[in-house]
Amino acid sequence: MFKVQEGYHSPHIEEKGDEKDFSSLSLIKEFDSYQEAERYVGGLINEKPQTHYVRMIIGKRYVGFDYGSWSHFYFITSDEPLNYEELYDFEEV
């Protein structure tokens, strides 16, 4: 299960050992796949009138998308560690 959540500063994801606490983030919607969640976040960002660029921060169990201010983020979070190789279907060259 992948959750799309909203937060207003990346430090709001509090450190708890190696784990992150996502309780400070507001839940927007849940998805069965990462790809569905990422498309949804892309749609949310595209609706913003002041989107000039998007920065991405990644962690073991989350991907955060900031669309220009470093003060507002959409996060895709997971209860399990994310395998980025599988999520993006990387191919060896």
Side-chain angles (χ1 to χ4, degrees), residues 39-49 51 54 67 74:
R39 280 191 295 275
Y40 183 79
V41 168
L44 291 173
I45 290 171
N46 285 333
E47 291 175 3
K48 303 296 181 187
T51 302
V54 176
Y67 55 87
Y74 291 113

Side-chain angles (χ1 to χ4, degrees), residues 38-88:
E38 190 175 71
R39 280 191 295 275
Y40 183 79
V41 168
L44 291 173
I45 290 171
N46 285 333
E47 291 175 3
K48 303 296 181 187
Q50 298 170 336
T51 302
H52 301 292
Y53 52 88
V54 176
R55 292 177 279 220
M56 184 169 81
I57 57 172
I58 60 173
K60 290 181 183 177
R61 296 189 306 119
Y62 70 92
V63 178
F65 299 89
D66 164 56
Y67 55 87
S69 64
W70 280 120
S71 63
H72 184 270
F73 293 84
Y74 291 113
F75 289 92
I76 299 172
T77 62
S78 172
D79 292 334
E80 301 296 322
L82 298 173
N83 181 335
Y84 292 98
E85 197 169 305
E86 286 180 8
L87 295 177
Y88 290 104

Side-chain angles (χ1 to χ4, degrees), residues 19-53:
E19 298 298 318
K20 300 281 187 182
D21 178 10
F22 303 116
S23 63
S24 65
L25 303 175
S26 302
L27 177 64
I28 298 174
K29 195 169 182 178
E30 294 182 349
F31 293 90
D32 291 328
S33 77
Y34 175 84
Q35 290 78 8
E36 290 175 306
E38 190 175 71
R39 280 191 295 275
Y40 183 79
V41 168
L44 291 173
I45 290 171
N46 285 333
E47 291 175 3
K48 303 296 181 187
Q50 298 170 336
T51 302
H52 301 292
Y53 52 88

